[in-house]
Amino acid sequence: MSVTHEEVLRIARLAELDVDEATLPVLTEQMSRILEFVAQIGDVPASESAKPFVPGPDAVRFRADEVKPWPLAFGPDKLAPAFRGGFFLVPKLGQFEEEGQ
Amino acid sequence: MSDPGEALANAKAAADRIVKAKRLNACLTPPKELRQSLQKQAQAAHPSGVLYGMPVAVKDNICTLDFTTTCGSQILAGYRSPYDATAVAKLKAAGALIAGKTNCDEFGMGSSTEHSAYGRAVHPFDKTRVPGGSSGGSAALVAAGAVPAGLGSETGGSVRQPASFCGIVGIKPTYGRVSRYGLVAFGSSLDQIGVFGRSVHDAARVLSVISGRDPRDSTCEARDPLRLPTVPESLQGFVVGIPKEYFPPDLDAAVRRACDRAIRVLKELGAAVREVSLPHTPYAVPTYYIIAPAEASSNLARYDGARYGPRFDGALDVRALYRATRGTGFGPEVRRRILVGTYVLSAGYYDAYYRRAQQMRALIAQDFRNVFDRGVDLLFTPTTPTPAFKAGEKLADPVAMYLSDIFVVTANLAGLPAMSLPIGRIKGLPIGGQLIGQAFLEDEMIEAAYALERMVPGTEDA
């Protein structure tokens, strides 16, 4: 399964990743190689398929819905690159609007 | 040990040894910070703890309050977690000393610890080779004798493979045996914290301390901590399966000889040894390299320059900020896996890749159940197809790198406990043997490992 430069750029947009032109040819070649390699799982007849397997407990245990003391040593203002008045600061949403998203 | 003076001396000695092992590039914590923290921890540690004064190095994708947690990535440079991972909190409560954070492949994605933003880690016995990965820093420090034990994490063999390359013991517990709270997520259905030790006992007692229920992780089973078995006189009554798919014709000759010797020892110890088949094994690596990147592409979406770590400024809008931060903050292997993960989950490809991989995972897990249902207690296999490879040897071909995980990813896919222990050497390079157990029967696996460790000449040429 080969992918094209255009497909890699489309996937990169979906993944919110900048890919520079210089690395695109190598990245495309490596992705094609990886996708060809993993596609071999299609060799096993579908009739052999089993119900999806998920490890861990059979049922999710829910925590009690109660307010507890703040469990962290410090708040998000210490972690975030820009934070003010309880909010993470980011640039405007311009491109979302332009692309109609 | 219960003497505070001895704990302080232990802390200082550990710091000295870690600093002396600087050439390995295994510890990411600066020496001054490490010394100060170890001294402080030794003074605060509770003398009644079962690990009192024991220095334990911790992989840099496990959250610690005392040190930064960067996951070997530029995108989390300088990040300090506001809480300790449950495993770390349990170690501290048992009196252990957190002996710095160790180098790893970025976000645990790699098999050589070459994919770290902080430089590659070096094999402790041969500087031209890799220590394995992704938990290569912890493995190298334990193998060099700098610390008696370390924490690593596994998504697809990242404890057992470096343990094998470095000639030490590495245990991956059953999925759900150890809390994942505070383990930075890569592939949530596969991730588990594992342990390294210079002996089975050191690794097992650290595992015993960090295991057990945790209300903060709903995937952690509500079970008591692991109880350590005693060292057995023999393995009478054990049935050990040898899966034929793990001994392909092109298996490295020295690895095969070392395994044959270990199998002879198992028989001499009284175990019944029989050949078994796990027919879907050849599809394990492709299955893993669909599921793990798919989960990673989702888990790593949170690193966007808005909430954690550094941001790459200058973007005119928020989307450009995300793309620039992620495009420059992640290294090439992480970018590649995010792209593959996004691709296999995207419209038109989901059924052919992701859904199919989930079905294959079920078949692989069923293979193990079939074998265990027929009376087999444990499986024995090589841990890796070859001893440690040269640095740079597999960097240009990601698939060649992925195939070094061929014998270890199955246990992650099936959620089973597995461990590697030294079974011989070739030209000074260690070779590891793998035991795979049944879910939550780590005690049986460790019991067999105790016996094997005592009888197999793990440091002699195979």
Side-chain angles (χ1 to χ4, degrees), chain B residues 349-369:
Chain B
Y349 300 105
Y350 179 91
D351 284 344
Y353 288 96
Y354 186 72
R355 189 188 297 275
R356 198 82 186 87
Q358 289 289 18
Q359 291 166 340
M360 186 58 73
R361 182 178 187 176
L363 293 172
I364 290 165
Q366 186 61 49
D367 282 352
F368 281 105
R369 277 197 297 277

Side-chain angles (χ1 to χ4, degrees), chain B residues 242-296:
Chain B
I242 310 294
K244 62 182 180 187
E245 291 80 5
Y246 287 66
F247 293 84
D250 59 348
L251 182 65
D252 182 275
V255 173
R256 182 180 293 275
R257 281 197 304 275
C259 285
D260 287 346
R261 186 167 68 183
I263 292 167
R264 277 199 302 276
V265 169
L266 286 168
K267 288 177 182 167
E268 285 162 16
L269 284 163
V273 174
R274 67 164 86 135
E275 187 181 89
V276 297
S277 177
L278 300 164
H280 294 95
T281 300
Y283 301 102
V285 175
T287 300
Y288 175 82
Y289 279 97
I290 292 172
I291 292 173
E295 294 186 12

Side-chain angles (χ1 to χ4, degrees), chain B residues 18 21 24-30 34 55-64 67-73 98-108 113 115-121 131-132 134-143 146-147 149-153 158-159 162 194 196:
Chain B
I18 293 168
L24 302 177
N25 194 29
C27 182
L28 297 177
T29 307
L34 179 67
V56 180
V58 173
K59 185 177 178 180
D60 202 30
N61 64 348
I62 299 173
C63 288
T64 49
F67 305 104
T68 56
T69 300
T70 70
C71 299
S73 181
I98 306 305
K101 302 300 283 289
T102 59
N103 204 355
C104 57
D105 286 298
E106 188 176 2
F107 285 99
T113 316
H115 295 297
S116 165
Y118 305 100
R120 80 171 181 96
S134 63
S135 316
S138 288
L141 279 185
V142 173
V147 285
L151 291 192
S153 71
S158 288
V159 166
F196 294 103

Side-chain angles (χ1 to χ4, degrees), chain B residues 14-36:
Chain B
D16 288 345
R17 289 193 303 268
I18 293 168
V19 173
K20 207 174 159 192
K22 196 178 162 194
R23 67 178 176 87
L24 302 177
N25 194 29
C27 182
L28 297 177
T29 307
K32 191 177 168 192
E33 185 187 346
L34 179 67
R35 285 183 192 284
Q36 285 172 348

